[in-house]
Amino acid sequence: TDSRYAIIKNYNLVSFRYGKHMFHLGVQSKSNDELSKRKSWKSANCPTAQDRIAHCLGMDADMGLRVLHKGKVLHPHPTSSPQETSLLLLQISNIDLEKSRKPSLVVMGTRRGRELVNPNMTGNAMKNSSV
């Protein structure tokens, strides 16, 4: 059990709501050299919180995912780097967990395979198209 605790201790949790469901996902911390050598993720860098959310829900982290907190869009953010946004999401989640509150982060988005073929087509144009 000690080794399991050591592994869990090196992860941060991101907590969020999606629809009626609440999720608590582990995000690997960058400080753990042993776990960063694992090949569980395709990239050599540690995944961000938004990468983990998108992977879990089957969304595209860059195009189909929105993370809200108190009505304000936190991801995608035009001026923040993905690492800064990830850190902010983890900090908000930690505050929620420490105070035993429901997750205050809300995730919205489109799952892969459910996107519009051509987002510029609307109404009648979509009905009349042969796509």
Side-chain angles (χ1 to χ4, degrees):
T1 58
D2 292 331
S3 63
R4 183 183 299 166
Y5 176 72
I7 290 172
I8 292 172
K9 185 179 174 184
N10 291 314
Y11 280 80
N12 296 315
L13 287 178
V14 60
S15 303
F16 61 93
R17 290 180 285 158
Y18 179 73
K20 294 182 180 181
H21 303 283
M22 287 187 264
F23 292 84
H24 304 280
L25 302 176
V27 179
Q28 186 175 333
S29 63
K30 291 187 178 188
S31 63
N32 188 356
D33 294 331
E34 180 182 330
L35 289 176
S36 65
K37 292 178 183 175
R38 289 186 177 181
K39 302 290 184 188
S40 61
W41 286 89
K42 294 178 182 176
S43 66
N45 298 331
C46 292
T48 61
Q50 51 274 33
D51 288 336
R52 285 286 289 137
I53 293 169
H55 183 266
C56 175
L57 297 176
M59 295 180 180
D60 181 17
D62 298 324
M63 298 297 293
L65 178 70
R66 300 286 181 266
V67 180
L68 305 166
H69 180 253
K70 297 182 178 179
K72 184 178 177 186
V73 177
L74 298 180
H75 174 77
H77 196 275
T79 58
S80 297
S81 72
Q83 290 75 22
E84 291 172 344
T85 303
S86 179
L87 184 61
L88 179 62
L89 298 178
L90 292 170
Q91 288 173 346
I92 293 170
S93 295
N94 285 336
I95 291 169
D96 290 341
L97 290 171
E98 287 174 2
K99 295 185 178 183
S100 300
R101 296 190 300 208
K102 290 182 182 178
S104 58
L105 296 175
V106 177
V107 172
M108 299 173 63
T110 305
R111 293 188 172 197
R112 288 189 188 116
R114 297 185 181 255
E115 301 94 353
L116 290 174
V117 176
N118 185 352
N120 296 328
M121 297 178 80
T122 58
N124 293 333
M126 192 176 257
K127 290 178 188 175
N128 296 332
S129 72
S130 59
V131 178

